[in-house]
Amino acid sequence: MNTQQNSTCRKKEYQKISFDLKLSIIDEIINGQISVNYASKKYQISRSSITYWMKKLSNFKQKSTSMGKNNELKKLRERIEELEFIKDFQQDII
């Protein structure tokens, strides 16, 4: 009976992927720029991981866009107020 003393089961090493990269990959897939298969090959990530991220982070993506829209509206309102002030100032000078 031959037993293998030195044979060890090799573990697969996983790369750590940043949260921003996950969101950008999901965004590319949702916008139709790339497919899940192409993304898995391009970034060397399993398809199941990508679909898992899509399920888990879809809610976060929706929340982040709504927060972004609120901030964008606030900035636009401030810009409108600035332009109205400039317009009124110019009217007074004329």
Side-chain angles (χ1 to χ4, degrees):
M1 214 185 240
N2 286 337
T3 59
Q4 294 178 354
Q5 297 279 336
N6 293 333
S7 69
T8 58
C9 184
R10 293 193 310 164
K11 288 185 177 180
K12 184 172 181 173
E13 292 186 22
Y14 296 99
Q15 59 183 351
K16 291 190 177 186
I17 298 173
S18 69
F19 187 71
D20 293 332
L21 182 60
K22 289 178 185 179
L23 287 178
S24 67
I25 293 170
I26 291 171
D27 190 41
E28 287 179 0
I29 293 170
I30 290 174
N31 290 336
Q33 296 171 346
I34 59 175
S35 66
V36 176
N37 289 335
Y38 182 76
S40 68
K41 290 176 185 175
K42 181 179 177 183
Y43 298 105
Q44 297 176 350
I45 304 166
S46 67
R47 289 178 298 173
S48 60
S49 295
I50 294 173
T51 53
Y52 174 78
W53 298 340
M54 290 176 72
K55 288 178 187 175
K56 291 294 179 182
L57 300 176
S58 64
N59 291 336
F60 178 81
K61 186 69 175 169
Q62 291 171 354
K63 289 178 186 175
S64 67
T65 17
S66 66
M67 294 292 281
K69 287 181 182 177
N70 289 338
N71 290 337
E72 186 177 346
L73 285 174
K74 185 178 178 182
K75 288 180 183 179
L76 288 173
R77 287 183 183 132
E78 289 174 358
R79 181 71 177 147
I80 289 171
E81 289 176 9
E82 289 176 16
L83 292 173
E84 285 178 352
F85 176 76
I86 292 171
K87 182 184 109 182
D88 291 338
F89 181 72
Q90 288 177 347
Q91 289 292 335
D92 289 343
I93 291 177
I94 293 176

